[in-house]
Amino acid sequence: MGEYGVVPGQRVAIIWDSLSPVKTLKDLVDKIQALVGADNCVSVEIVKQLSQLTHKESSFDVILSPMVPGRQHSVEVLAEIAWILKPGGCVLLKELAVTESGNNSRIKIAAKLLTTLTLSGLMEVKEVCMY
């Protein structure tokens, strides 16, 4: 499997936040487009509008959702990601998490992240990496 789990011929969605730098988004789109090939789809979706989109169920092979400073993936956003992901597809997301509970209730505990992903409809979570 290629970088970001992307191989030629796949349909890829990038979930983005309007607060993120446009140059970073453009660089990522260019990189992914080169990986999938010029004839294949790289779709950029704004996270706040994800539930309003008209993508069919199982539309994308790979969904990338980078971490947005100060924000987390809500259960609703994760459910929308699960809806548009093809069976056997790959989701790569970055989420701020800690290994144990602390003073900041806004940060997910790593042990609960897997549960949140599963409850959102991402039933085949194979790996959660901590860095």
Side-chain angles (χ1 to χ4, degrees), residues 3-4 6-7 12 14 23-37 42 64:
E3 187 174 9
Y4 299 108
V6 176
V7 296
V12 178
I14 300 171
K23 181 175 179 353
T24 303
L25 173 60
K26 182 180 179 336
D27 291 346
L28 180 59
V29 170
D30 291 346
K31 187 180 231 181
I32 299 301
Q33 191 68 64
L35 292 169
V36 298
V42 176
L64 306 175

Side-chain angles (χ1 to χ4, degrees), residues 21-85:
V22 174
K23 181 175 179 353
T24 303
L25 173 60
K26 182 180 179 336
D27 291 346
L28 180 59
V29 170
D30 291 346
K31 187 180 231 181
I32 299 301
Q33 191 68 64
L35 292 169
V36 298
D39 296 334
N40 295 291
C41 174
V42 176
S43 179
V44 176
E45 308 299 345
I46 302 298
V47 70
K48 288 182 181 178
Q49 299 171 345
L50 194 58
S51 64
Q52 301 167 358
L53 300 176
T54 58
H55 291 296
K56 295 179 184 173
E57 181 179 12
S58 306
S59 297
F60 295 97
D61 300 291
V62 177
I63 299 174
L64 306 175
S65 187
M67 185 176 70
V68 177
R71 299 210 179 180
Q72 293 183 321
H73 295 88
S74 68
V75 172
E76 294 80 15
V77 167
L78 293 171
E80 290 297 324
I81 288 173
W83 173 258
I84 62 174
L85 182 67

